[in-house]
């Protein structure tokens, strides 16, 4: 590369600034993280203001953000279909004058949608201080600080009369994972609807369903249960991978093929939730010929009447998928059924395949093939038999009769 085209070296900060930046970085490293990383983040930001190219400050800041701000926040915010669905549902259910409780503030999007829909005031809670701090900035940048209050608390710690002026008219949340349960939605909403909301409060979402279906995908097995690598047999390692968690990129690459329709496992009422355990046995019907490699579990949430979001096999968006792998791939034909046992404890889902079987055949009466001579009248047969054979036939007839008679037990 010609000398004139070489990138200019980064300008070094003044010696005093570089020294102060280094001091701040070392101080940041000594801070406890009990405050959710707030103090550490402030120190690192100050260090980078003084020396924008400080290597260790950049590394520590990124590590801090990845630790306290889950990365799924960003593809979720970029999911246009999900955002539009929540916007429609909030517009349909929030009324002018409503007090709204938004659980799980994130960047503040659903809180801002509720304010735009006419809520009197929105109280949005976020337990992670770094996220709550950033949400306040987003809300301020959009001119809604006077309509939205960010409460840096877990919703279970919110108190009406202290954090909320009165119970909420509407409770908004999106605290679900790929099978609805993993972020504690049922426990959180059970508390919120009983302690923080009016008796007839509206919820977004209103309800959810968990469904399952048999799927085929050689690519799924290649990804999660490779048979060999460089000629070595890896099959003894496979028992460590029974549940495949598929981010959108892996889900698309695996191209799961449904071998039957979805079957409902559980339904949840988010307006009247409970945390009771549940267990069900379901038959997943196969409608196509193929090989079942896994059972795909997915959800559908009804946010408002006619407004749904889902992560089924035909849906796009930011949602991941959960596939329960069979111990052995099993060929199936239309009409075959996979019997599964699904259980949940209000926080986690388990699913196991009990058996895959063909449909029961229609019962048929037994057919006894008989030589016509066997059913000829005894007298006619005996007329043609020599005397010893007639006696022998009589013995066999008595034996047959004894076998056919039911046994009778009598008391002594």
């Amino acid at each position: 590369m010609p000398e004139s085209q070489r990138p200019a070296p980064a300008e070094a900060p003044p010696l005093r600034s570089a020294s102060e930046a280094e001091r701040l970085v070392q101080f940041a490293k000594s801070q406890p993280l009990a405050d959710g990383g707030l103090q550490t983040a402030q120190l690192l930001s100050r260090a980078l203001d003084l020396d924008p190219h400080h290597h260790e400050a950049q590394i520590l800041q990124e590590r801090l953000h990845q630790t306290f701000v889950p990365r799924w926040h960003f593809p979720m915010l970029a999911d246009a279909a999900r955002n539009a669905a929540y916007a429609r549902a909030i517009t349909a259910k929030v009324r002018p004058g409503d007090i709204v409780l938004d659980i799980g503030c994130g960047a503040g999007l659903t809180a801002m949608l509720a304010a735009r829909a006419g809520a009197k005031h929105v109280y949005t809670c976020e337990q992670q201080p770094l996220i709550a701090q950033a949400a306040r900035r987003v809300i301020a940048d959009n001119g809604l600080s006077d309509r939205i209050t960010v409460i840096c608390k877990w919703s279970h710690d919110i108190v009406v009369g202290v954090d909320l002026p009165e119970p909420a008219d509407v409770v908004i949340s999106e605290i679900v994972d790929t099978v609805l349960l993993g972020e504690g939605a049922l426990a959180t909403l059970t508390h919120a609807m009983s302690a923080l909301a009016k008796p007839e409060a509206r919820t977004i979402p209103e309800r959810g369903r968990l469904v399952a279906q048999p799927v085929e995908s050689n690519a799924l097995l290649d990804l999660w249960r490779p048979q060999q690598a460089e000629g070595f047999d890896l099959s003894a390692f496979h028992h460590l991978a029974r549940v495949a968690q598929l981010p959108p990129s892996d889900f698309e690459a695996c191209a799961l093929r449904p071998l039957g329709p979805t079957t409902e496992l559980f339904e949840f009422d988010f307006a009247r939730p409970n945390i009771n355990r549940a267990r069900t046995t379901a038959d997943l019907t196969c409608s196509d010929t193929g090989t079942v490699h896994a059972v795909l579990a997915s959800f559908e949430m009804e946010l408002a009447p006619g407004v749904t979001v889902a992560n089924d096999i035909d849906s796009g968006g930011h949602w991941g998928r959960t596939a329960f792998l069979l111990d052995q791939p099993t060929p199936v034909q239309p009409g075959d059924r996979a019997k599964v046992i699904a259980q949940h404890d209000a926080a986690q889902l388990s699913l196991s395949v009990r058996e895959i079987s063909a449909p029961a055949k229609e019962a048929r009466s037994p057919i006894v093939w008989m030589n016509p001579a066997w059913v000829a009248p005894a007298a006619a047969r005996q007329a043609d038999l020599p005397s010893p054979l007639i006696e022998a036939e009589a013995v066999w007839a008595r034996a047959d009769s004894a076998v056919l008679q039911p046994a009778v037990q009598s008391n002594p």
Side-chain angles (χ1 to χ4, degrees), residues 127-151:
Q127 63 177 328
Q128 216 303 310
L130 284 177
I131 297 177
Q133 184 183 70
R136 291 189 184 101
R137 293 174 184 164
V138 171
I139 291 165
D141 288 347
N142 287 276
L144 291 169
S145 294
D146 61 333
R147 306 268 309 283
I148 300 172
T149 299
V150 178
I151 306 168

Side-chain angles (χ1 to χ4, degrees), residues 70 75 97 123 147 158 174 195 201 209 216 219 230 265 307 329 332 382:
Y123 297 86
R147 306 268 309 283
I158 290 176
E174 191 190 31
R209 297 169 62 240
E216 176 182 71
E230 293 299 321
L265 300 176
V307 183
V332 294
Q382 291 179 8

